[in-house]
Amino acid sequence: MVWKERVNVDYQVGILGGGPGGYVCALRAAQLGLSVVLIEGERLGGTCLNRGCIPTKALVKSADLWREMGRAEEFGLFVSEKRVDFAAVNARKDQIVNALVSGVEKLMKAGNIRVIKGWGEFNQVGQISVTTDNGVEHIQVEKVVIATGSVPMRIPIAGADLPGVVTSEEILEGKELPKRLVVIGGGVIGLEFASIYEAFGVKVSVVEMLPTLLPTLDEEIPKRLTPLLKRSGIDVFTKTAVKQISQDGESLVVQVEDAKGLKDIPADRVLLSTGRKPNLQGIDVHKLGLELEKGAIKVNAQMQTNLLNVYAIGDVVGGIMLAHVASAEGIIAIEHIAGHSVEMKYSAIPSAIFTHPEIATVGYTEQELKASSKDYRVSKFPFSANGKALALGESIGLVKILADAEGVIVGASIMGPQASTLISELVIAVEKGLRAEDIARTVHAHPTLPETIMEAAHGIDGKPLHLA
């Protein structure tokens, strides 16, 4: 191989990372008429599309369908043969991912965006060096947007490097179902995988060091979810520390400790799901003089770093590590580069968790409002009182709306069928400062799940109509 070094000087924007932050940023740049180059070492779409959001949701759909098949007789349906072909489940997942990656590639081409497959290094303002199969290319750019994402954290546990101990990215490569799975970490990613694998008949144990699962949510949600997980067959250990992981023949043993002492949990696979950290690989923070805060790149409301011509978006800036947040930040960054007066706001960011049942949230939690000492109102409406939910056979859960003293909606949590879709109405309400009365007096179609939101909104100023 003959390596070459070249220099280009004609890009207004250089983007490091082609995930949901980087590629959306590039698309918006093209719309605004900016010349843009995007550098990505792997496939476009980043972790979300290739090893996160999309592949896991493909698995969630298969798991949900399998659950429904198990309940078919409740609906008067009888299925002669029920069998899980996990290789086929994975093949469908891969097909969906490949189709979406191809779609992003076509969007890049349509936008005349140059995409370089290679590993970028940024150690000098105004220049990005990219190592590709053909050599090193030095690219001169006016502005740089860092969108290098995050990587799974590996906690310092003895035995964490044993075969069969995997992260959320590696577990997606498995083509066979284990008989026993231990999930270390009771956060979003861990519980999503726990729900998926439990549906397919895997014996799942979840170990969480804190007193509750999903500690950042409105505390009512994990209180309701935890017994549901246990009822489904998942063993949940909270206030429990992992001491070590050891090999026992072809199996693994996770040793944990709680107030009662030590306990061994046998496993065939162990999932380390203890969070993610900003990925600063290729970014020479010290040479650049780039300011960090708690291991993440510090930015202002326009996603601008302490360096005038350098921006950062997505997981690499810490904060809310969600794909849609990265995309929104990418749009803000590029619009600011183009001279627009914009500001990134985080008061109405939706979060969706694809457990069974689904969970979705936006805005404040009740414990946050209590801590603020501000007057607030709360209203709840259960899916068990909704006709469509009963018809679906998915009547577990509730809609919870929080409003301030004037009735303005400031937060909401949903646990139940299609929560990830239903939350959008309440995201708009929080974003636009709508009163609960505005939602309550909006006519909702019947019979539909969104009626639960209308009913909960009625409860802010009075009481729900269909609740004794």
Side-chain angles (χ1 to χ4, degrees):
M1 181 190 305
V2 178
W3 283 53
K4 302 176 181 178
E5 294 202 10
R6 295 179 294 168
V7 177
N8 290 331
V9 293
D10 54 350
Y11 293 105
Q12 292 170 290
V13 182
I15 301 171
L16 278 165
Y23 86 73
V24 168
C25 183
L27 290 173
R28 184 63 179 135
Q31 288 179 344
L32 294 171
L34 299 173
S35 60
V36 56
V37 59
L38 184 146
I39 295 98
E40 170 57 53
E42 297 180 339
R43 298 212 301 175
L44 289 175
T47 294
C48 175
L49 179 46
N50 293 284
R51 301 178 301 279
C53 321
I54 300 302
T56 55
K57 300 318 162 284
L59 295 180
V60 164
K61 177 58 181 177
S62 294
D64 286 345
L65 191 55
W66 184 245
R67 277 194 195 92
E68 290 192 35
M69 288 174 65
R71 299 175 56 202
E73 293 184 12
E74 293 180 28
F75 296 82
L77 306 173
F78 297 87
V79 182
S80 59
E81 182 190 11
K82 292 183 290 184
R83 178 175 61 89
V84 175
D85 183 340
F86 198 61
V89 169
N90 273 287
R92 175 181 179 271
K93 171 203 72 179
D94 294 341
Q95 184 180 29
I96 292 167
V97 170
N98 290 336
L100 288 171
V101 171
S102 176
V104 174
E105 290 171 347
K106 290 175 182 176
L107 288 172
M108 296 291 109
K109 187 175 181 179
N112 292 317
I113 298 163
R114 185 184 177 205
V115 177
I116 303 176
K117 184 171 182 179
W119 297 101
E121 290 188 17
F122 181 41
N123 54 32
Q124 179 181 330
V125 174
Q127 179 176 292
I128 300 172
S129 299
V130 189
T131 301
T132 70
D133 291 340
N134 299 319
V136 178
E137 183 171 354
H138 303 291
I139 303 169
Q140 301 296 319
V141 293
E142 294 178 19
K143 310 283 185 181
V144 171
V145 179
I146 302 171
T148 47
S150 62
V151 293
M153 286 194 293
R154 278 191 174 269
I155 53 178
I157 298 174
D161 56 350
L162 287 171
V165 181
V166 297
T167 67
S168 58
E169 297 182 357
E170 295 152 355
I171 197 171
L172 288 167
E173 299 171 3
K175 302 302 180 185
E176 295 181 359
L177 287 169
K179 292 182 179 179
R180 301 162 299 181
L181 173 69
V182 173
V183 178
I184 299 176
V188 173
I189 297 173
L191 291 186
E192 286 190 353
F193 277 109
S195 292
I196 291 167
Y197 276 76
E198 178 277 322
F200 291 133
V202 176
K203 178 57 186 175
V204 178
S205 302
V206 177
V207 181
E208 172 55 55
M209 185 172 62
L210 297 175
T212 179
L213 303 177
L214 301 170
T216 61
L217 299 192
D218 189 297
E219 58 191 6
E220 183 165 355
I221 298 301
K223 282 181 181 178
R224 289 174 177 264
L225 178 68
T226 301
L228 294 176
L229 296 176
K230 291 179 178 178
R231 194 185 309 167
S232 73
I234 297 174
D235 290 333
V236 178
F237 302 94
T238 52
K239 292 192 282 188
T240 302
V242 177
K243 306 303 290 183
Q244 67 174 14
I245 305 169
S246 59
Q247 192 88 41
D248 183 16
E250 295 184 359
S251 301
L252 296 165
V253 176
V254 180
Q255 185 183 71
V256 300
E257 184 177 26
D258 60 12
K260 297 178 181 178
L262 295 173
K263 176 183 176 66
D264 288 341
I265 308 174
D268 302 297
R269 195 171 301 160
V270 176
L271 171 62
L272 297 177
S273 183
T274 51
R276 299 179 67 88
K277 62 181 181 180
N279 176 26
L280 296 172
Q281 183 178 355
I283 313 297
D284 195 329
V285 172
H286 299 294
K287 186 175 180 180
L288 289 165
L290 199 58
E291 189 174 350
L292 301 184
E293 188 172 49
K294 297 180 179 178
I297 298 176
K298 186 177 181 180
V299 294
N300 60 19
Q302 289 73 37
M303 311 313 299
Q304 198 171 24
T305 71
N306 62 304
L307 306 177
L308 184 63
N309 294 321
V310 180
Y311 293 70
I313 61 173
D315 289 4
V316 78
V317 305
I320 306 173
M321 290 187 175
L322 296 171
H324 47 279
V325 174
S327 296
E329 290 172 343
I331 292 171
I332 291 294
I334 209 67
E335 289 184 349
H336 188 255
I337 288 171
H340 297 194
S341 178
V342 290
E343 180 178 335
M344 184 66 198
K345 298 179 181 179
Y346 298 94
S347 59
I349 299 295
S351 176
I353 306 171
F354 293 84
T355 48
H356 184 75
E358 282 185 10
I359 297 167
T361 67
V362 66
Y364 288 106
T365 64
E366 186 168 3
Q367 58 264 33
E368 287 173 332
L369 292 177
K370 284 180 181 177
S372 71
S373 300
K374 294 179 181 178
D375 291 336
Y376 69 93
R377 307 180 207 173
V378 58
S379 177
K380 308 170 192 176
F381 190 82
F383 282 98
S384 59
N386 176 262
K388 182 62 181 291
L390 290 170
L392 292 172
E394 297 285 349
S395 59
I396 294 175
L398 82 164
V399 173
K400 179 177 183 178
I401 294 178
L402 300 164
D404 65 15
E406 286 72 44
V408 176
I409 297 174
V410 295
S413 297
I414 302 174
M415 185 180 79
Q418 300 178 32
S420 59
T421 300
L422 293 175
I423 198 66
S424 294
E425 182 174 2
L426 291 164
V427 174
I428 293 172
V430 174
E431 174 68 29
K432 299 302 179 183
L434 300 182
R435 293 170 52 86
E437 183 181 9
D438 297 323
I439 300 294
R441 293 191 177 276
T442 298
V443 178
H444 288 63
H446 175 77
T448 63
L449 295 175
E451 288 178 285
T452 57
I453 294 173
M454 178 188 69
E455 291 279 7
H458 273 294
I460 292 294
D461 294 308
K463 64 179 295 184
L465 298 172
H466 290 82
L467 198 61

